[in-house]
Amino acid sequence: AALVVSGLFATSCNDFLNEIPKGEKIPQTWEDYNAFMRNKNLSYFENEQILFLMGDYFRSPSALNSSELTRANYLFLEDVDRTAINTGDYMAFYSAYEMMFYWNLIIEEGMNATQATDQQRRMLVAQARVLRAMTYHYIANYHADQYCEATLNTLSVPLVTSASVEAPSPQATLQQLYDFMVSDLLAAIPDLPDRGETIVHPTKAAGYGMLARVYLSMGRYADAGKAASDAIKENGNLYDWVKFYNDDKERIEDTSTFNVATSVNPEIDNPENYVYHASSSGYWAGISSGSLTLSLERAARFEPGDIRLIGKWRYYKTAAGIEYYRGLYANEPNYGGIRAAEMYYILAECQARDGKISEAMESVNKVRRTRFLPEYYTPLQAADKTEAINKIIDDKANEFIQTQIPFCDYRRLNKEGIYTRTLTKTIDGVTYTLRPESHMWIFPYPAKVLQNPGNNPIVQTVNK
């Protein structure tokens, strides 16, 4: 099919539906299409380079020599032409458009599914619309500029709306793409279920939650706050990380070992999950010694008693003297999905922008009370809008560390030009700085994608 799927499927969607490959079957029934949604391999967002840029994933100086692209992003090397050296970072694009093929297939054919009621068919299509919007938002915030008034006519990513190999794949403007996502979500919400069949099936809360995320990216703060509030009404539950810590206290506080076997899995059995979406298939695969590593600098941005740090990482020093925070936690986090906690942060920022400072702080503190050991917990307070928004964004970055969410927030705030974020890293006594206006907040299309663009050419979205 169009784009990545052209490399994965030798025949068109129509051919696929008319011919039964050996050992396979044609999707016909509701359950056939629903099986695509239940496939965990269709829930991977490849965020590795984002984590390197953000400093959310520690790399030792020697490890940086293995990849020019990783080194450039990790050290903020603005003079390096990433468009010339980006030969390997193509899985973000390819995995996104592979998923898009299936969501488009369900949206196109789902209403013709057999052995189902009309309500089941509508629900299936609605869930695919949410997943399609999630995927477009992810890839647009990887390879395209930030949405704002000055960039509305800027080219973003290919907009593919059909599973057919003959379908056009025009590179949409940011305005076209974001309007499309909003339209998809508004169409989906009425038919979404209150509860998902599994954790990878979007709920009505997920529909409102994704709408809140898109509106936030667009700077439509009143709309984002309303959607976040609607999501919370559907599901405002928060996971009790204090209980998790106390139940696993002996393991967590045993400094003689880095035991990662938690007694429960808060990622799967979590009441605040709206929809679960896994991390990168590459950088998480094979991790058995705990969560992805953190630098000392990044760990220092957590407050004392914050379980989001002390429940998952601990200071470690290698025999060679390399210091970092090593993982205590091997459950695969809901890196790319949607959780109720995000809605409280979105609501808080929108309340602060509307001058409702005390309400904004209470929205954040509702989350924080479940994230800190009681003897350390201090409610956030702010005297004005600027202080409130900065504190909300900082705490949100800790809540969603090693996800794309803080990256999206920083891009948005940098483009707005008021609450800008400058990143720094100090390595071997040298301080590296990423400016708010840097081109590095956009990741270039890799050569492999530009050389095989599907049915329409792709224009590179960043100079280097």
Side-chain angles (χ1 to χ4, degrees), residues 206-387:
Y208 283 123
M210 191 61 220
L211 186 62
R213 189 184 288 179
V214 172
Y215 279 148
L216 190 74
S217 291
M218 299 174 77
R220 293 173 56 173
Y221 295 112
D223 291 330
K226 172 64 166 58
S229 180
D230 288 339
I232 291 169
K233 289 176 184 176
E234 294 291 332
N235 179 5
N237 295 317
L238 292 168
Y239 186 78
D240 189 350
W241 283 97
V242 177
K243 184 179 186 304
F244 167 84
Y245 188 96
N246 288 330
D247 288 348
D248 252 11
K249 187 173 182 178
E250 182 177 352
R251 176 190 65 84
I252 293 170
E253 297 185 353
D254 182 2
T255 57
S256 67
T257 180
F258 278 83
N259 184 357
V260 300
T262 61
S263 59
V264 296
N265 187 341
E267 308 305 330
I268 303 301
D269 303 317
N270 192 322
E272 66 187 63
N273 280 343
Y274 292 172
V275 60
Y276 178 89
H277 213 293
S279 67
S280 162
S281 58
Y283 67 76
W284 188 266
I287 294 289
S288 59
S289 59
S291 305
L292 303 175
T293 54
L294 290 184
S295 69
L296 269 60
E297 282 183 308
R298 181 61 186 89
R301 287 163 53 188
F302 286 87
E303 300 167 55
D306 192 334
I307 301 168
R308 293 171 295 192
L309 175 68
I310 63 176
K312 296 183 178 182
W313 290 277
R314 186 192 302 143
Y315 171 80
Y316 183 75
K317 186 175 183 179
T318 69
I322 298 175
E323 300 174 284
Y324 58 91
Y325 272 68
R326 180 178 169 184
L328 295 169
Y329 180 87
N331 301 312
E332 189 170 5
N334 189 4
Y335 278 130
I338 308 175
R339 296 189 283 116
E342 183 184 359
M343 297 304 107
Y344 285 103
Y345 286 100
I346 291 176
L347 178 61
E349 182 182 341
C350 296
Q351 288 170 326
R353 288 177 179 273
D354 195 32
K356 300 174 181 177
I357 308 304
S358 60
E359 291 95 327
M361 292 297 97
E362 177 52 30
S363 294
V364 172
N365 288 329
K366 185 168 185 176
V367 178
R368 284 169 57 87
R369 281 191 286 269
T370 67
R371 270 53 174 171
F372 281 79
L373 296 178
E375 61 268 31
Y376 287 96
Y377 171 72
T378 302
L380 284 185
Q381 297 179 333
D384 54 34
K385 179 168 70 173
T386 298
E387 184 181 6

Side-chain angles (χ1 to χ4, degrees), residues 103-121:
W103 311 148
N104 284 333
L105 180 64
I106 293 171
I107 293 165
E108 284 187 305
E109 302 292 339
M111 289 305 296
N112 298 321
T114 62
Q115 300 179 26
T117 66
D118 282 343
Q119 186 274 334
Q120 285 179 307
R121 297 185 189 100

Side-chain angles (χ1 to χ4, degrees), residues 19 38 79 82 117 164 188 213 265 280 297 301 326 352 396 404 419 463:
E19 298 179 12
R38 285 190 278 104
D79 293 337
R82 296 177 303 163
T117 66
S164 170
R213 189 184 288 179
N265 187 341
S280 162
E297 282 183 308
R301 287 163 53 188
R326 180 178 169 184
K396 186 180 180 184
Q404 192 188 36
Y419 313 101
N463 292 330

Side-chain angles (χ1 to χ4, degrees), residues 87-100:
T87 58
D89 182 35
Y90 48 75
M91 284 311 299
F93 184 91
Y94 282 178
S95 63
Y97 282 93
E98 181 181 1
M99 287 185 278
M100 219 82 75

Side-chain angles (χ1 to χ4, degrees), residues 113-237:
T114 62
Q115 300 179 26
T117 66
D118 282 343
Q119 186 274 334
Q120 285 179 307
R121 297 185 189 100
R122 290 195 302 271
M123 178 181 69
L124 185 71
V125 170
Q127 289 174 323
R129 287 186 186 277
V130 173
L131 293 169
R132 183 167 69 177
M134 288 176 63
T135 308
Y136 271 124
H137 187 266
Y138 152 72
I139 199 63
N141 277 277
Y142 198 94
H143 286 310
D145 206 342
Q146 170 62 38
Y147 181 102
C148 69
E149 187 174 354
T151 63
L152 297 182
N153 294 317
T154 301
L155 291 177
S156 60
V157 299
L159 181 57
V160 187
T161 61
S162 172
S164 170
V165 70
E166 289 87 12
S169 54
Q171 193 171 1
T173 66
L174 282 168
Q175 181 73 76
Q176 291 169 333
L177 184 68
Y178 274 80
D179 286 349
F180 180 81
M181 287 187 282
V182 169
S183 176
D184 244 3
L185 293 165
L186 291 176
I189 288 171
D191 294 318
L192 291 169
D194 295 333
R195 294 174 63 95
E197 176 188 333
T198 70
I199 60 172
V200 297
H201 285 75
T203 61
K204 194 176 292 290
Y208 283 123
M210 191 61 220
L211 186 62
R213 189 184 288 179
V214 172
Y215 279 148
L216 190 74
S217 291
M218 299 174 77
R220 293 173 56 173
Y221 295 112
D223 291 330
K226 172 64 166 58
S229 180
D230 288 339
I232 291 169
K233 289 176 184 176
E234 294 291 332
N235 179 5
N237 295 317

